[in-house]
Amino acid sequence: MIGKETFHTFSFVFLAVFFVVSPFSISLSQISCGLSLFFLFLDHIKRKEFPSFPLPLIFWAGLYFSFLLIPLLHLESFHWKQNIIKSEFGDSWMGLLLLHQNYLNNAEKKKLKSFVIIGGMFLILSGVVSLLTHYRLAPFVMDGFRYVEGKRLPHLLTELKGISFYLPIGFQSTHLTYGGLLAVYLPSVFVMTFRLVQKKRVIRKHSILLVGNLILSALGLVLLFLNQSRSIWIGFLLGMILLIHKRRTSFKRLFPWIIALTFLILSILILFYHTNWLFQRAIDDIFAKRSLENQRVWIHKMNFSILKEHFGLGIGAGNYETSFINVAIPIVDSIPELYYDLMITPKSHAHFDFLHGILLGGVTAFCFSIAFLWSITRSLELVPRHFFFYIGIFVIIIAGSFQCYLLDDEVLLPFMGILALMPTQKMDLFLLSQNLKRYFMKECIWLTLFRMVPFSFGIALLWISLSLTATYLWSRTENKELSLHRTRTQDNFPSPLTQMSINAKTPIPLQFPTKELYFKLSGCLDKEMNFKRNPKPRQKPIRLEILWDKDKQSYLPNSITIEIRKRESFDQDKEYRVHAESVVRKFTIPITGNDHRIEVDPREFENTLPEFVDFGFLYRWQGDAPLLPRIHMQGNCD
């Protein structure tokens, strides 16, 4: 016999399981989420009630419906798989988790918070294991705790005293997904630790519990930093500012924590920065004008080109990649050397949650996105005492200006789950109209509307506006400026000083006395390619020149050795391995006092797959004030 609360209990249990298993498996989290919703619907059927829709769910549904406007208006080209099942619209059902916001009572929501904490602890522990394990945890476990040849290996961070440390990703496939989960789960662990510290009785009687939580919280901070999700770092930074505003905490109380956190960050920076190219790239790219692959510039160039043509109704669900390539083809036709950067640029999403929605749904999506943002920040205003527990929601909103976290199922599901634990929000139109009428009679209507805008909504909206402006200005970078030949050290670290010698106007003085310097120069593709045809062998030779300034030749190298190198051409981040390189020719250039032209016919050592023809330079000096000679290169190496 099925009792009155049976279905409700099952729904609650599977929701608790969902919070615990989300850090481990997207499949398990989807199954437990689906079962929780299934029993929720059965409970409503048994009670003969229609589900009550919270405000965020109403706006979420409107946002995803806007993605279907274009596909439904063009039924002749409509495809179920492309526009519904395998598109962004396929994630719309996950918003149904928000039904729990009006379905659970306060006592049940409080119990579920403890399961969020358990999930957070498991997330931290899995991150620690992945930090020390030279296999990716998810495939390693799925394959029966054994490594299968050919499976992706994790990125090596560094080696300290014989111990290897790897990029922490837990059971996830990318560090960005793990960073998103850290944003959602870590605050719950921090809150629990903070409460234990405040209770003197716990300190005396349960010191082991307190020490354990302190260790987990410290490990969580370390993982957050080593994970290198810079967008999440910025989200937490703004979240902390908002938290200080909410709690009105004095700087005197915060100062010891700020000092401790600063010391921790600096210690990690010193340990890892100079020993690993991944970590160095994560820091350097924050300050660099252009990153190593120019990918973000291209993404936003395509985004704003698409937006300019489809601002009204958008491009529709499932059409982003096609639209990206359609915009890229004319660029490659006019500047062929830019094909490689465009080919390896991720084309699955706009790397900006808010912008991606507008690209798909146009003005309608813009309105619903603003409304959804307002509704969830309004929820945050309703929990001033528990704001820190829910701060991950705000972090994801801010971080969404750099990545599409709300398109990542592994992040979106727990994000919606945490949002479902917030206080109930119902749309009472009668009460709203009465309040507006009362205020309109007494005060200015604009003052009334201002009072309805949460402070966190203002910060989020300001941040998104600034991000949109910055990405638009970034996208205005000239195409030819993005064709940048890059120099690297022998260990493949960026080499800023030698980079300055490429197409320089004068020789570059070295900043330190040296007698010998080696660096690599990224060259040109050995195939002619674009998006419309298969690669074909390059017919023209690859050329560059070492320019010899005669008025400064006494300071220029007295010996130059050149390497002709071949390097695999594929997306390093996608393949999770470094490009294989080899030296195919090596020779010394006689110093004649004139410009030196280097010419290479790529057909002499051609392979089936596209490869780069790179160069290695070894300069030797005899003087005490050495200068780097200028190197002249054009486009796709002439």
Side-chain angles (χ1 to χ4, degrees):
M1 186 72 181
I2 298 176
K4 184 178 180 181
E5 297 293 328
T6 301
F7 292 139
H8 181 88
T9 302
F10 280 153
S11 179
F12 175 86
V13 169
F14 281 112
L15 187 58
V17 171
F18 160 76
F19 283 119
V20 174
V21 301
S22 287
F24 295 107
S25 168
I26 181 60
S27 299
L28 290 176
S29 64
Q30 287 179 336
I31 290 171
S32 54
C33 170
L35 287 172
S36 178
L37 291 173
F38 174 72
F39 286 109
L40 181 149
F41 293 136
L42 286 182
D43 186 60
H44 280 293
I45 292 172
K46 183 176 177 59
R47 296 171 185 269
K48 299 180 180 179
E49 296 176 348
F50 193 77
S52 174
F53 293 91
L55 274 177
L57 178 55
I58 294 172
F59 297 134
W60 177 262
L63 173 64
Y64 273 74
F65 175 76
S66 70
F67 298 168
L68 292 182
L69 291 177
I70 283 295
L72 292 176
L73 290 174
H74 297 84
L75 289 175
E76 69 281 358
S77 59
F78 182 83
H79 297 286
W80 281 100
K81 285 187 177 181
Q82 178 183 340
N83 300 120
I84 299 289
I85 300 175
K86 294 185 177 181
S87 73
E88 295 86 353
F89 188 81
D91 294 338
S92 59
W93 72 271
M94 299 182 190
L96 294 176
L97 264 174
L98 295 175
L99 288 172
H100 288 291
Q101 192 176 91
N102 292 350
Y103 180 66
L104 299 167
N105 58 46
N106 291 332
E108 290 171 327
K109 289 179 181 179
K110 186 176 181 180
K111 290 180 182 178
L112 287 170
K113 287 182 180 180
S114 62
F115 290 98
V116 175
I117 295 171
I118 294 172
M121 291 178 174
F122 283 146
L123 182 69
I124 293 171
L125 292 174
S126 68
V128 173
V129 174
S130 68
L131 179 66
L132 301 169
T133 306
H134 53 284
Y135 300 125
R136 289 178 174 264
L137 291 182
F140 182 69
V141 173
M142 292 294 292
D143 293 327
F145 295 93
R146 62 188 180 89
Y147 173 68
V148 176
E149 190 69 29
K151 287 293 181 74
R152 292 177 178 177
L153 295 173
H155 287 304
L156 178 68
L157 278 179
T158 191
E159 291 186 0
L160 295 174
K161 295 184 178 181
I163 302 175
S164 298
F165 293 90
Y166 300 89
L167 188 68
I169 60 173
F171 280 85
Q172 280 60 57
S173 56
T174 71
H175 76 287
L176 294 172
T177 296
Y178 186 72
L181 286 174
L182 285 174
V184 174
Y185 277 100
L186 271 188
S188 64
V189 179
F190 293 157
V191 167
M192 181 179 180
T193 303
F194 183 71
R195 288 175 179 171
L196 289 174
V197 170
Q198 283 185 317
K199 295 179 180 179
K200 295 181 180 180
R201 185 176 58 183
V202 173
I203 295 175
R204 291 195 301 267
K205 293 186 177 181
H206 303 285
S207 56
I208 296 177
L209 177 64
L210 176 59
V211 171
N213 276 273
L214 285 171
I215 292 174
L216 279 175
S217 296
L219 287 173
L221 281 175
V222 171
L223 292 172
L224 181 65
F225 194 66
L226 293 181
N227 177 252
Q228 302 181 20
S229 296
R230 289 161 291 175
S231 54
I232 299 297
W233 297 350
I234 295 172
F236 268 112
L237 178 62
L238 291 182
M240 290 300 105
I241 294 173
L242 187 59
L243 179 65
I244 293 171
H245 172 266
K246 293 290 181 187
R247 298 294 297 269
R248 291 177 172 83
T249 307
S250 66
F251 182 78
K252 186 177 180 180
R253 291 182 61 187
L254 288 173
F255 186 72
W257 294 96
I258 294 174
I259 292 295
L261 183 60
T262 303
F263 177 77
L264 178 64
I265 292 173
L266 289 176
S267 300
I268 296 172
L269 184 62
I270 293 170
L271 284 172
F272 289 94
Y273 180 76
H274 290 292
T275 58
N276 177 254
W277 72 271
L278 279 171
F279 202 85
Q280 191 177 52
R281 185 179 70 173
I283 302 300
D284 289 349
D285 282 0
I286 296 176
F287 308 102
K289 181 181 178 181
R290 289 187 290 270
S291 67
L292 287 176
E293 294 293 356
N294 297 323
Q295 291 184 347
R296 286 301 173 84
V297 183
W298 283 120
I299 290 169
H300 291 304
K301 286 179 82 70
M302 302 301 121
N303 287 342
F304 286 103
S305 295
I306 296 169
L307 187 64
K308 183 179 178 180
E309 297 294 326
H310 303 277
F311 180 74
L313 294 177
I315 58 176
N319 293 325
Y320 181 81
E321 184 170 348
T322 303
S323 299
F324 187 106
I325 293 175
N326 288 340
V327 175
I329 286 175
I331 297 175
V332 175
D333 285 341
S334 61
I335 314 175
E337 59 266 27
L338 296 181
Y339 171 81
Y340 178 71
D341 273 357
L342 279 164
M343 182 267 291
I344 65 171
T345 298
K347 306 172 186 64
S348 59
H349 58 82
H351 284 69
F352 196 138
D353 277 321
F354 188 79
L355 182 56
H356 190 87
I358 298 173
L359 290 172
L360 298 186
V363 175
T364 307
F366 172 83
C367 296
F368 279 113
S369 295
I370 293 293
F372 180 70
L373 180 63
W374 171 79
S375 66
I376 58 180
T377 52
R378 183 170 176 264
S379 296
L380 289 172
E381 298 294 322
L382 299 176
V383 287
R385 290 185 57 213
H386 306 282
F387 180 80
F388 193 23
F389 183 92
Y390 297 103
I391 202 172
I393 294 171
F394 185 79
V395 173
I396 294 297
I397 291 172
I398 298 299
S401 295
F402 301 92
Q403 296 289 336
C404 281
Y405 284 104
L406 297 184
L407 290 181
D408 188 342
D409 297 1
E410 293 164 286
V411 178
L412 177 61
L413 273 171
F415 173 88
M416 290 295 184
I418 297 292
L419 193 56
L421 299 183
M422 303 191 81
T424 301
Q425 283 193 73
K426 296 180 181 179
M427 181 178 283
D428 192 329
L429 295 177
F430 175 77
L431 182 60
L432 179 63
S433 63
Q434 291 297 313
N435 288 336
L436 287 175
K437 183 178 179 181
R438 184 173 68 254
Y439 279 118
F440 184 77
M441 297 297 293
K442 295 181 179 179
E443 304 177 40
C444 174
I445 185 66
W446 295 109
L447 180 60
T448 303
L449 293 175
F450 180 77
R451 288 178 174 176
M452 295 174 62
V453 177
F455 181 72
S456 55
F457 174 76
I459 292 181
L461 196 59
L462 177 62
W463 174 259
I464 290 173
S465 300
L466 292 174
S467 300
L468 283 172
T469 303
T471 52
Y472 174 73
L473 294 175
W474 200 14
S475 73
R476 302 293 293 173
T477 305
E478 292 292 332
N479 293 343
K480 286 187 175 294
E481 287 188 35
L482 298 174
S483 180
L484 182 66
H485 296 285
R486 304 172 183 92
T487 61
R488 299 168 288 142
T489 66
Q490 187 170 1
D491 297 319
N492 288 328
F493 285 91
S495 180
L497 188 63
T498 57
Q499 184 71 58
M500 295 169 62
S501 68
I502 308 303
N503 293 326
K505 294 182 179 180
T506 60
I508 308 299
L510 292 179
Q511 298 173 346
F512 49 88
T514 183
K515 298 297 181 181
E516 184 175 292
L517 177 65
Y518 174 85
F519 66 95
K520 302 175 187 177
L521 174 61
S522 298
C524 308
L525 289 169
D526 65 354
K527 301 286 192 302
E528 294 179 4
M529 299 180 290
N530 65 21
F531 290 100
K532 295 184 290 188
R533 64 170 181 262
N534 294 326
K536 64 178 183 179
R538 177 190 174 111
Q539 301 300 314
K540 295 194 303 180
I542 293 172
R543 302 186 184 96
L544 61 82
E545 285 184 304
I546 300 177
L547 303 181
W548 209 256
D549 294 84
K550 294 184 179 181
D551 58 330
K552 298 179 180 178
Q553 62 181 352
S554 60
Y555 304 105
L556 296 174
N558 68 300
S559 173
I560 301 177
T561 301
I562 303 295
E563 293 176 344
I564 309 299
R565 308 177 62 91
K566 292 299 293 288
R567 177 168 51 96
E568 290 180 343
S569 169
F570 54 81
D571 184 358
Q572 180 171 304
D573 289 331
K574 182 178 180 181
E575 297 291 340
Y576 290 94
R577 60 191 179 97
V578 176
H579 294 215
E581 299 181 62
S582 62
V583 178
V584 295
R585 187 193 301 169
K586 186 175 181 179
F587 55 91
T588 300
I589 295 178
I591 304 299
T592 62
N594 298 315
D595 296 342
H596 303 279
R597 171 172 284 198
I598 302 170
E599 194 169 287
V600 180
D601 187 348
R603 291 173 293 181
E604 293 180 12
F605 23 75
E606 182 184 348
N607 289 326
T608 305
L609 296 175
E611 290 185 321
F612 282 110
V613 177
D614 290 351
F615 300 91
F617 293 83
L618 177 60
Y619 293 150
R620 292 187 177 93
W621 293 268
Q622 290 181 344
D624 295 327
L627 294 177
L628 281 173
R630 296 181 291 149
I631 297 177
H632 177 67
M633 303 180 73
Q634 289 184 350
N636 196 22
C637 294
D638 200 354

